[in-house]
């Protein structure tokens, strides 16, 4: 994610990490990101956001949450992404809150 932010300035990245007092490491829960050009172009899109999730197959048991728009040309326009360990009401709430905070405003 550091490289993503380095080569895409002002890209928003939000992490959700848990820390256990008995374990000296952080536990990954979620990561959210939205590219700055997508955030800036959102005002030119239709007023409907489509959300979905997909599984990452093979060696990983994670899900990718995606929010997309339809732009003025009728093409799919990516808004934001998140990676999470499981799909639940809590993960969708976290994703949609960050989408609202950083993209929709």
């Amino acid at each position: 994610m550091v490289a993503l932010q380095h080569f895409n300035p002002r890209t928003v990245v939000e992490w959700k990490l848990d820390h256990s007092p008995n374990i000296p490491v952080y536990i990954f829960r979620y990561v959210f990101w939205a590219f700055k050009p997508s955030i800036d172009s959102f005002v030119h899109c239709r007023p409907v956001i489509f959300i979905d999730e997909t599984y990452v197959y093979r060696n990983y048991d994670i899900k990718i949450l995606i929010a997309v728009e339809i732009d003025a040309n009728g093409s799919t326009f990516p808004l934001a992404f998140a990676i999470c360990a499981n799909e639940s009401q809590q993960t969708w709430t976290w994703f949609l809150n960050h989408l609202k905070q950083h993209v929709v405003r």
Side-chain angles (χ1 to χ4, degrees):
M1 286 297 165
V2 173
L4 183 88
Q5 287 180 297
H6 175 74
F7 290 105
N8 298 282
R10 299 187 312 178
T11 292
V12 175
V13 177
E14 295 282 346
W15 293 87
K16 168 72 170 147
L17 304 171
D18 286 342
H19 184 261
S20 175
N22 302 332
I23 304 172
V25 296
Y26 286 95
I27 300 167
F28 168 77
R29 294 293 177 214
Y30 327 117
V31 62
F32 168 94
W33 72 94
F35 296 106
K36 182 63 175 164
S38 296
I39 295 170
D40 293 343
S41 300
F42 174 69
V43 296
H44 304 291
C45 291
R46 297 179 184 170
V48 178
I49 296 174
F50 301 92
I51 58 173
D52 198 7
E53 62 87 22
T54 188
Y55 296 92
V56 176
Y57 295 102
R58 302 234 182 217
N59 300 333
Y60 305 102
D61 186 25
I62 58 175
K63 282 59 172 186
I64 298 177
L65 309 179
I66 306 166
V68 298
E69 271 281 331
I70 303 297
D71 66 11
N73 293 328
S75 301
T76 304
F77 186 80
L79 288 176
F81 308 88
I83 295 176
C84 58
N86 62 351
E87 180 189 17
S88 66
Q89 182 177 354
Q90 182 180 3
T91 57
W92 276 110
T93 301
W94 184 84
F95 177 69
L96 293 175
N97 284 337
H98 282 294
L99 182 67
K100 180 181 176 185
Q101 176 184 357
H102 296 293
V103 180
V104 178
R105 295 184 256 177

